[in-house]
Amino acid sequence: MHKYLPHTASDIKAMLDKIGIKTIDELFVALGDIKLTKPLDIPSQMSENELRDHFEMLASKNKNLLSFCGLGSYESYDFSIIDALTSRQEFLTSYTPYQPEVSQGTLQYIFEFQSYVCELTGMDIANASMYDGASSTAEAIFMAVAATRKNKVLLSKTINPYVLEVVETYCKYRDLDIEYVLEKDFSFDLEDLKKKLNNDVACFVAQTPNVYGILEDYSKVKETLEETGTLFIINQEPSSLALFKAPSEYNADIACGDMQSLGLKRNFGGPSVGYLATISKYQRRLPGRIVGKTVDVEGKRGYVLTLQAREQHIRREKATSNICSNQSLMALTVSIYLSLVGKQGLIELSKRAYNNAHYLEEELLKTKKFKKTTDKPFYQEFVLEYLGDPKVLETKLLALGYLSGYNIKDNLIIFYASEVRTKAEIDEFVKKVGEV
Amino acid sequence: MYDKLIFERSKEGRVGITLPKTEVKDYPLPKEHLTKRDLLLPEVSEVDVIRHYTNLSLKNYGVDRGIYPLGSCTMKYNPKINEELSKNPKFNNLHPLQPDVTSQGALELEYNLEKLLNEILGLKAFSFAPCAGAHGELTGLMMIKAYHEKNKDYKRKKILIPDSAHGTNPASVAIAGFEVVNLRSTEEGTVDVEHLKEVLDDEVAGMMLTNPNTAGLYEKDICIITKLVHDAGGLMYYDGANFNALLGLAKPSAMGFDVIHLNLHKTFSTPHGGGGPGVGAVGAGEKLKTFLPNKHVRLENGLYVRRKEKDSIGNVSYFQGNYNVILKAYAYILSMGKENIRNVGEFAVLNANYVKAALEEYYEVPVKGAIMHEVVFNGLKSKKASTLDVAKRLLDYGFHPSTIYFPLLFSQSMMVEPVETESKETIDEFIDALIKIAHEAEKTPELLHDAPHTTPVRRLDEVLAARELKVKYRDLL
Amino acid sequence: MVDIKKGLFYTKTHEWVKVEGGEAYIGLTAFAASELGDIVYFEGPDTDDVAQGAECGVVESVKSASDIYSPVSGKVLEVNEAVVDSPELINEDPYGAWLIKVELDSKEELKKLLSAEDYEKELANA
């Protein structure tokens, strides 16, 4: 007997009798000699206490570092009610909302999640979420390719390299041509975009704040793309959207990105959650689940999965994407976080991240060990040139319990100071940097 | 019944958080980059948020409440200890880019889980980068493509898929840049080997197969099928959506599969979370192990390190995929242990055959012979009500219905998967409800047509939702 | 009995064609409309020309999607915007709600299509 397996010998006997057979083995005759004759070579069962000890043994081999590195994995305040609510079995242990009458909880929070994404990005319609910001960018490209029937993709070189790696994989197997728009002064180069643009280009994809943390200026992009019928895709860090211009203000056709910074822990990289939103014109190109409002037979407000004819279970190989699920529990987490933080809170938190990053830059420059690289405006990450050996800096800081900035190339280091870093933490870090 | 949106609880000036004091001064913001929009975000208190989401949760059905017999979804109990273990800050606060030497515990755990799955499936290596089953399918197909391209065998563009397959399979094939070739099923509901022989040629890159298939049948000719495909130069892909039936009892590698995806959120008990996060772990045999995506954990000189495989297809997700989910799958396998893991497959299959035996008097069984972990009925024998009506009436009895109208092989499909964590008593209650409904269909069919009666909302107008699209709060204003 | 209008040409994939001079109106039969159920979306061809037997649009109901195959070849003159805006017209009046208007390449192609009587037999045998 095992605690997760309730059948007793008499239960098994009664069930076998009903089926009309003598042993469980008879149910597996079709397997023939594929059927294993000896037990699997895995450890013996563990009790809860043994498991706790085993996990603690493993956990103790991890080192929690004070981080000044972002690059797509960010820190945000942890509010206790988020775990309390997302641990509720009704959310945690439910399936995708296929039976809407007993899934209104899930359907409504997805509707609210879509509302948040649309509100932040200024787009008309968002889906129920994607795996992460990298795959949502790839799916945004597929949308543009389908809508324009063109096969070439222009990507800004200032997009996070971890996003680019995923986009490259997706495009390669879909036989799409990728070309990069070069960077100039740590931002995408408009002149290079103009040079590489032609009638075969389905879309131009850019990121703001970009990998260096810089707020890019897209005021000339849409008009540049107009002539070739090329769509504009913006990947934007959502915590910046309370303060700074949204994809809609740059007339983007599709907005995408990762929402891990809004209440999700870093968790060694996942689970995260991606968002994908577009303008009404392309709503049927949007992949994944979409929830819509409706009424029941008594006229009561309710929510259902809608526009399902785009999806893989109906369209099979003609579907807009193969995605079935979303990152539902993470979409719930983000929604609860945004509800709690509210309008003023979101503005205040992004200002704090902005201020902390600017304070850190100012203090690091005071150590005389760095050179400023650009005067472009930045948000919560920024890039400096280190005058010493970046590897030595990284190693020495690691020994002191710090995850230093990300050495992207040569002597360039991208630093990050989230809203949760205190002045004392920043001061102490800068002091240690100065001593290296 | 509570029906407010969080936006409708908003009152100007309310706050939900207390922030710590900050000593860092304000820096001037770049004016030309500031937004001109006035965001319509709620202003609510912490109590508002708790009440709102708690009320929403009460409109959901979960595994902790009762049997959730969705076929092909393997809705088993999600152990609480796994949740507790996954909330360890020493795992939660790891940055994915922190050096391997500072994340040895996390890497060791991933390495250990890979070794356990290698043994359970009979494979050589696993990647946990894919975030869901569909994502795993795409990854596995990309690996098949990369394998043929490495061998300069560029003409292989076709992937064979049985007509019983889930719709995700053909969609993944298209996204991976392949063409779909559909394979007929025999009258018994398994792969038609003669048809397979007809379509096999030197343009076939591989074949995707779910075993047991979506009709709950074990593919009895599996070894013949894999040999035919291999002899034609193709590779075999195992869709592990239904692996629960065989857990501890058979290894897909012995059937001849080269690459597989497992849904850790099905077979290995991690919660579905209302539609994610999952993990579509991809396992590979000898031929494909060097093609795995992202970075792969290895043990080198006593240190766990992350390395790109030499033929890697590239990254399919950020960093390590849905890392936190694998902690739960690892805890599950250790909880079961070698003594019990075999019972999972045995009891899952026993339960499904029991449900079939108990209900075949009332519901049509369209396939012959023994089934595995799920049973497909083709609606009521009496045909006095549709499968949709039966499903909706089950809600009134407090049960979550089975999967309906899938597989597409039968017009009134009801696919029931009574997993191993359900007791005989629970299954009997479910059976009794379905028998009562069968009687109701004869005497009072309107009870079924109008069902459900007791749920938070009743049948919803899906046509209205699609015709008058309202997908965000602003659309309601 | 499903409504089949006399004087039109039909396809096995349940499209109808009405020929007026050198122009043809293409629509979906009452049978197709009732099989699909409540139609919520119609999209016309995204090309300037259509070919006999090739896809020339798509219709969706809540739980299904179906490609429309052009019964004739020719230049697309018009997509019926009234149906794009109100796809339920296909359910309400399948033989009135034409979907696209095409300039016929060749009347020879019409010989390959079914008459109303042939289509009725086709449905009876299905």
Side-chain angles (χ1 to χ4, degrees), chain A residues 361-376:
Chain A
E361 190 211 29
E362 200 171 88
E363 295 298 307
L364 284 173
L365 286 170
K366 282 184 195 164
T367 64
K368 310 267 189 233
K369 292 182 177 240
F370 296 91
K371 205 172 109 191
K372 197 164 166 64
T373 52
T374 174
D375 290 323
K376 292 237 166 93

Side-chain angles (χ1 to χ4, degrees), chain B residues 1 40 106 126 142 155 195 209 278 281 302-304 312 317 363 375 377 379 446 449 473:
Chain B
M1 183 61 77
L40 190 64
F126 266 89
M142 286 173 173
K155 62 187 176 303
H195 189 222
L209 201 60
L303 197 69
Y304 296 96
S312 171
S317 61
Y363 293 85
V375 51
F377 297 105
E446 65 283 358
H449 299 314
Y473 174 56

Side-chain angles (χ1 to χ4, degrees), chain B residues 104-144:
Chain B
Q104 284 296 294
L107 297 175
E108 183 177 343
L109 188 150
E110 184 166 334
Y111 183 86
N112 290 351
L113 177 60
E114 178 184 18
K115 294 290 168 264
L116 293 174
L117 292 178
N118 282 345
E119 165 63 12
I120 294 169
L121 282 300
L123 294 168
K124 299 289 181 196
F126 266 89
S127 166
F128 304 105
C131 298
H135 207 198
E137 289 176 16
L138 179 61
T139 304
L141 288 163
M142 286 173 173
M143 289 163 64
I144 289 176

Side-chain angles (χ1 to χ4, degrees), chain B residues 257-276:
Chain B
F257 286 97
D258 302 293
V259 56
I260 163 171
H261 90 262
L262 281 179
N263 304 75
L264 298 189
H265 46 286
K266 293 180 181 174
T267 317
F268 296 93
S269 87
T270 76
H272 280 75

